[in-house]
Amino acid sequence: MPLIPEEPQIHESAQGPRATPASGRTAPTPRPVPGPRPAAPSRPGRPGPLRPTPPAQRTPRDAAPAKPGPSGPAAPAAAASPQIQLIPASAEGALDAAEEAVDLLLDSGRVPGDVLVLTTGAQHPWAEHELSFGEASYWAQHDAGDDVFYADAAVASRAATRPVVVVAVNGGPASAAATALPLAHSRAGALLIVCGDPQQINSVLGAGV
């Protein structure tokens, strides 16, 4: 008989644990965890792919630049059209004007290796000094490309393209400017600065560039 009361107790306890599983089953009801799938709101992240769609529209634009890319001649054409600035100066003052132009370029943030300076007459003192150690050492500094490089316009064809080329029309043969300016123009990636007589320079640039 005492066993009988124990049995109801067992049933109650059994019901009790069942209530626990039931609550555990209600825990599955926190299947509102699928609510965290409203992290699926991150699925609105999928609309994010829709945002990539606009970039896809940008990629066509990129594709358009890419098309000009293949027409490599077009890109060189842009490179062959640097901005030109003229600084009026006499033959005697052209080199000083070029030096001031270089100083302004460097002060404005240009890297020294971006600048090439050509002279049509007397060599720049730096070039004369460096050439005294031999041409190999001189041109090695040009190839290093980490500083302003000064050269005679007569050897400009050996110089590599740089973003900025400064020309000092400081004398030399009458044909010096006519030869130097077109060459300098072809070596200037973004900017060509010419210091000298405006009439002479305009006549050369107008006809030869």
Side-chain angles (χ1 to χ4, degrees), residues 58-120:
R58 295 178 183 176
T59 41
R61 297 178 183 176
D62 297 339
K67 294 176 183 177
S71 57
S81 304
Q83 180 183 352
I84 300 175
Q85 292 183 7
L86 172 60
I87 300 178
S90 63
E92 295 75 19
L95 193 54
D96 288 339
E99 279 293 304
E100 290 179 8
V102 170
D103 289 341
L104 287 173
L105 288 167
L106 300 181
D107 289 343
S108 69
R110 276 286 178 185
V111 176
D114 283 355
V115 185
L116 169 67
V117 180
L118 303 177
T119 55
T120 62

Side-chain angles (χ1 to χ4, degrees), residues 5-102:
E6 290 177 358
E7 289 178 354
Q9 291 174 354
I10 292 169
H11 290 296
E12 291 174 355
S13 62
Q15 290 174 352
R18 287 177 187 175
T20 312
S23 59
R25 292 177 184 175
T26 47
T29 47
R31 296 182 181 177
V33 176
R37 294 181 185 174
S42 64
R43 294 183 184 177
R46 294 182 180 176
L50 300 179
R51 297 177 183 175
T53 319
Q57 295 174 347
R58 295 178 183 176
T59 41
R61 297 178 183 176
D62 297 339
K67 294 176 183 177
S71 57
S81 304
Q83 180 183 352
I84 300 175
Q85 292 183 7
L86 172 60
I87 300 178
S90 63
E92 295 75 19
L95 193 54
D96 288 339
E99 279 293 304
E100 290 179 8
V102 170

